[in-house]
Amino acid sequence: MPPVESSQLIIHMSRAYGSLNRLIGIVRQRCFEIESMNVQSESADHYRIQMVVVSERNVVHLLKKISQMSDVTSVSASKLTRVLETA
Amino acid sequence: MNGAQLLIACLENEGVRDIWGYPGGAIMPVYDALLDSNIKHYLTRHEQGAGFAAQGSARSTNRTSVCMATSGPGATNLITAVGDAYMDSIPMVVITGQVPSYLMGTDAFQELDVFGLMLPITKHSYCVKHADDIPRIVREAFQLAGSGKFGPVLIDFPKDIAFQKTEAKPLPATKDLPPISHCDPEALRIAKDLLAKAECPLIYAGGGVEKGNAVAEFRTFVETTGIPVVHTLHGLGCLPGNHPQFLGMVGMHGSEAANKAVQGCDLLLAIGSRFDDRATGKLTEFAPRAKAIHVNLDPAEFGKLRVVQSALGGDVAQNLVELTMPLSIKPWVEQTQEWKRTYACRYDAPFDSVFAPRLLHDLSQAMDDRETFICCDVGQHQMWVAQHYKFTHPKYHLTSGGAGTMGFGLPAALGVQQANPQARTIVVTGDGSIMMNIQELATIKRYNIPVKILLFDNQALGMVRQWQQLFFNNRESEIDLSDNPDFCRLAEAFGIPSMRVVHRDQEADVIQALKNTDGPLFIHTIIDRAANVWPLVPPGASNSEMLTEEGVSVG
Ligand SMILES: Cc1ncc(C[n+]2csc(CCOP(=O)(O)OP(=O)(O)O)c2C)c(N)n1
Ligand SMILES: [Mg+2]
């Protein structure tokens, strides 16, 4: 089993009808779970979204899929090291 | 003008000449506006038929087509065809009526969240909020559907917006599609280097060659380099089926020569293909000792399933031109030719009934210069077409590959025939599949569409029966269709002439009838219930573990 990794995505995207649903749908369909998500309205027609996703899958593929959405102006990802059970 | 009239004007402006659809309450204003338009509307007898007919038009022309339905159940009936278009990258604009926007969210009559339902199976989706937005939305929808990696785009259209008055006008015509990115020089340098060094290179080409309008460049590349070729289901015909360098289809029902070549190659050139599991079998054992070059329009395919040494995005044709060079790979070519001779298909079946592989093979060999499209359904007959019909160009082979949707063939053929009136269109179907959209026989009759239907009746859901035989200890579960209707009488009831075929001696008559009949024709062909598709790679196994009629073949 490949290890579960979490990544932080920063997405700038249009506020067109349904764009957030589309984004969340793609994340789920490519087998990623959303751990946290922060949506800000950058302008009247744009969001800035900060999203932490986890999966065994390679985040690069998700990144490419998101970048291909016609709503999206830019997307970037950085891997996060998760602090686990420091008992 | 109202919103519905503006929508129709915008469609005319995009060059739409026909729409496949089915009316109902929420879409009625659009149907009213259609009466004053030059666009021809074709009424199917089920919305799924409309979706697949539109696909047939798009698949055979590479132009974006349009289908339309009312809200709620009309829209859900379209979903299978839309999902199918999504999986096979078919450019289509899908228009659905919606309840008035002031009723949306109230569980109104025939209200379903069609926007939500279609989200994961469309490239993009719109819900029209104001009539003034229609010109922009229609333009964007067509541009998105027909650019980059093609796909379906939804326009959900609330009824009150259809009645809304507007001063907006269709946008002036433009041809400026988003530019396709250029070749990556570093990846090209690596690819050329790999090619020059390879001793046993192999081309594994798929539907992206045709979609990228790169068939001519592909053929030049293949013939100049001399590299042997295997095709995916959607790649068939990129290299003509009779071409000496063509080794056959790869994968689950691929030829032994093709699968052996994949296992033995030291350089794999994946061109317009995407390492689909039906082609690769067990991924880790696919071309296990090969380096790989991946040429694909869609960068999201790179590294998705296989790490490659050189990824060439952007225009497929341009990349192929760059890579074209003579190679010296004679010993490998001779080896693959020997496999091709050793494992050539045999058509000398001993029994008296019709042998579908032979009939399909002979049919393709008997074809003249007239364009002939073959629209398949899904099952054993579909695989026999892929294995034995020699396609001269990929556009002539319409098959539901990604989704594998039974019921695709007949309605798709309607769209093909209407978009290519001079061509011959043949549906190859099974006794299970034909019943999934049998109602479209009425559409054939209504518009006198001269589609020929070749039904292989094995009184079973044959493909499922074969898997039950091989992988479930021959325990047959719900595959029996021995109580099929009398298909000839059924066709006649729809006003379509029919012919019944039971003996191998009639195979030549079938071919003549398919070639030379002017109008529609339904040919009911009885075949052996026990016939199987060979070879077969069991699901999840390596392509080297092919099962053949004689037993296991070790690759
Ligand atoms: C809509 C749909 N339902 C179920 C299946 C699963 N399935 C694949 S092939 C097949 C049997 C097809 O039977 P038939 O059309 O008679 O073709 P045959 O295999 O007998 O040639 C079935 C049920 C499918 N592909 N599509
Ligand atoms: Mg059958």
Side-chain angles (χ1 to χ4, degrees):
Chain A
M1 265 285 176
V4 176
E5 284 191 349
S6 47
S7 309
Q8 176 171 276
L9 308 179
I10 307 284
I11 301 153
H12 295 268
M13 70 186 294
S14 142
R15 295 178 53 177
Y17 181 79
S19 65
L20 275 180
N21 303 67
R22 245 189 306 274
L23 173 69
I24 292 167
I26 286 180
V27 173
R28 178 194 52 77
Q29 197 261 333
R30 298 283 151 180
C31 298
F32 285 76
E33 294 282 345
I34 298 174
E35 267 201 348
S36 68
M37 180 164 162
N38 178 359
V39 182
Q40 288 167 313
S41 295
E42 255 185 341
S43 66
D45 50 13
H46 265 78
Y47 292 126
R48 178 186 187 276
I49 299 155
Q50 191 179 343
M51 183 192 268
V52 175
V53 294
V54 274
S55 180
E56 293 161 1
R57 305 291 175 92
N58 187 343
V59 75
V60 176
H61 180 61
L62 176 65
L63 208 63
K64 287 181 188 164
K65 280 287 165 192
I66 292 176
S67 72
Q68 288 176 342
M69 290 175 61
S70 66
D71 310 281
V72 168
T73 12
S74 77
V75 51
S76 60
S78 48
K79 288 238 163 81
L80 298 179
T81 317
R82 291 219 285 164
V83 186
L84 292 170
E85 289 157 59
T86 46
Chain B
M1 222 186 234
N2 68 25
Q5 290 159 335
L6 179 58
L7 176 72
I8 294 297
C10 288
L11 294 176
E12 287 172 343
N13 188 48
E14 296 295 330
V16 174
R17 283 181 298 229
D18 29 67
I19 295 179
W20 296 85
Y22 206 102
I27 195 84
M28 281 178 71
V30 180
Y31 274 84
D32 186 66
L34 258 179
L35 287 173
D36 303 317
S37 161
N38 292 328
I39 295 178
K40 173 142 178 73
H41 180 272
Y42 291 88
L43 178 73
T44 54
R45 294 300 170 95
H46 188 296
E47 289 85 352
Q48 188 182 115
F52 282 136
Q55 270 209 38
S57 170
R59 285 182 191 243
S60 61
T61 60
N62 263 346
R63 278 201 312 266
T64 303
S65 61
V66 182
C67 59
M68 188 156 83
T70 193
S71 67
T76 53
N77 275 350
L78 273 181
I79 281 183
T80 302
V82 176
D84 188 281
Y86 184 71
M87 297 216 62
D88 278 353
S89 309
I90 308 304
M92 194 158 85
V93 169
V94 181
I95 300 168
T96 50
Q98 183 52 280
V99 301
S101 44
Y102 52 83
L103 285 179
M104 284 173 76
T106 67
D107 309 314
F109 176 65
Q110 292 193 330
E111 183 196 0
L112 283 173
D113 178 14
V114 174
F115 186 94
L117 285 165
M118 298 254 195
L119 267 178
I121 53 167
T122 47
K123 205 173 156 186
H124 197 72
S125 29
Y126 296 92
C127 180
V128 187
K129 296 287 183 185
H130 198 283
D132 292 351
D133 295 336
I134 292 170
R136 174 186 58 81
I137 288 177
V138 172
R139 170 57 49 82
E140 285 179 14
F142 275 81
Q143 290 199 335
L144 283 167
S147 63
K149 183 171 178 165
F150 301 158
V153 176
L154 170 75
I155 302 177
D156 200 30
F157 194 37
K159 193 171 183 179
D160 57 327
I161 310 296
F163 283 127
Q164 200 173 52
K165 292 279 175 262
T166 172
E167 299 292 316
K169 295 267 175 309
L171 297 176
T174 60
K175 294 242 177 307
D176 56 336
L177 290 177
I180 293 179
S181 60
H182 287 290
C183 310
D184 171 354
E186 178 58 11
L188 263 177
R189 190 192 60 71
I190 296 172
K192 284 183 190 167
D193 196 47
L194 288 169
L195 263 177
K197 290 195 181 125
E199 287 174 10
C200 312
L202 184 73
I203 293 165
Y204 142 62
V209 175
E210 210 261 319
K211 291 230 163 58
N213 215 352
V215 174
E217 290 80 357
F218 176 78
R219 291 180 179 179
T220 307
F221 172 70
V222 169
E223 291 184 341
T224 310
T225 58
I227 305 177
V229 174
V230 304
H231 275 317
T232 68
L233 183 66
H234 279 313
L236 293 172
C238 288
L239 204 57
N242 285 329
H243 195 285
Q245 281 169 262
F246 176 54
L247 301 180
M249 186 165 72
V250 64
M252 182 170 271
H253 286 296
S255 73
E256 287 169 276
N259 282 341
K260 273 192 153 36
V262 172
Q263 295 316 102
C265 70
D266 68 357
L267 177 67
L268 185 73
L269 290 104
I271 306 177
S273 49
R274 56 180 179 85
F275 297 94
D276 176 75
D277 58 275
R278 284 295 185 268
T280 64
K282 191 174 180 187
L283 191 61
T284 49
E285 288 171 31
F286 182 68
R289 63 188 196 93
K291 299 214 162 97
I293 299 170
H294 197 173
V295 184
N296 201 303
L297 171 74
D298 180 7
E301 293 299 336
F302 298 144
K304 181 178 85 176
L305 292 161
R306 168 122 182 182
V307 177
V308 298
Q309 280 63 41
S310 168
L312 298 168
D315 189 47
V316 174
Q318 205 185 326
N319 276 305
L320 289 176
V321 170
E322 293 284 341
L323 290 177
T324 301
M325 57 175 159
L327 301 175
S328 41
I329 48 171
K330 201 155 167 242
W332 165 244
V333 170
E334 279 170 2
Q335 168 70 81
T336 59
Q337 288 300 320
E338 191 191 314
W339 285 329
K340 192 173 166 177
R341 279 191 300 276
T342 310
Y343 301 110
C345 297
R346 295 186 53 174
Y347 296 107
D348 50 354
F351 37 83
D352 285 341
S353 56
V354 169
F355 185 45
R358 179 178 53 222
L359 175 54
L360 291 164
H361 173 266
D362 293 353
L363 176 65
S364 64
Q365 299 311 94
M367 280 304 164
D368 45 29
D369 286 343
R370 187 168 158 205
E371 288 199 298
T372 301
F373 291 87
I374 304 288
C375 300
C376 293
D377 256 307
V378 172
Q380 293 180 309
H381 59 278
Q382 177 193 30
M383 291 299 112
W384 285 323
V385 169
Q387 293 175 327
H388 305 289
Y389 190 96
K390 307 287 181 212
F391 286 97
T392 54
H393 195 283
K395 75 170 175 182
Y396 298 135
H397 181 212
L398 282 87
T399 197
S400 166
T405 309
M406 290 169 70
F408 169 87
L410 173 56
L414 305 181
V416 171
Q417 186 70 78
Q418 170 282 327
N420 304 271
Q422 306 309 324
R424 199 186 269 128
T425 308
I426 301 173
V427 181
V428 179
T429 182
D431 48 329
S433 296
I434 190 69
M435 292 300 283
M436 291 237 172
N437 273 316
I438 191 79
Q439 75 287 344
E440 300 312 335
L441 291 178
T443 315
I444 291 188
K445 181 65 186 167
R446 163 182 280 245
Y447 299 104
N448 196 24
I449 303 176
V451 162
K452 322 282 179 270
I453 298 161
L454 176 58
L455 164 65
F456 286 119
D457 176 1
N458 51 9
Q459 307 92 56
L461 299 173
M463 186 58 96
V464 181
R465 186 203 53 70
Q466 176 172 351
W467 282 45
Q468 289 174 350
Q469 178 192 339
L470 296 173
F471 310 123
F472 292 87
N473 280 330
N474 209 8
R475 282 157 54 89
E476 290 190 352
S477 177
E478 298 296 327
I479 51 81
D480 180 70
L481 297 182
S482 56
D483 56 354
N484 273 324
D486 179 333
F487 284 110
C488 286
R489 282 178 62 198
L490 187 62
E492 304 276 347
F494 280 99
I496 295 170
S498 71
M499 176 176 159
R500 191 177 161 87
V501 178
V502 293
H503 195 276
R504 60 181 296 168
D505 291 348
Q506 294 170 283
E507 286 176 18
D509 300 341
V510 171
I511 292 171
Q512 283 316 310
L514 289 172
K515 263 181 87 175
N516 300 329
T517 308
D518 286 334
L521 178 65
F522 193 109
I523 305 182
H524 177 207
T525 311
I526 311 282
I527 59 167
D528 182 10
R529 185 182 190 271
N532 280 337
V533 184
W534 303 112
L536 166 71
V537 176
S542 155
N543 280 352
S544 62
E545 294 166 42
M546 274 171 285
L547 304 179
T548 63
E549 194 151 20
E550 294 80 32
V552 182
S553 144
V554 183

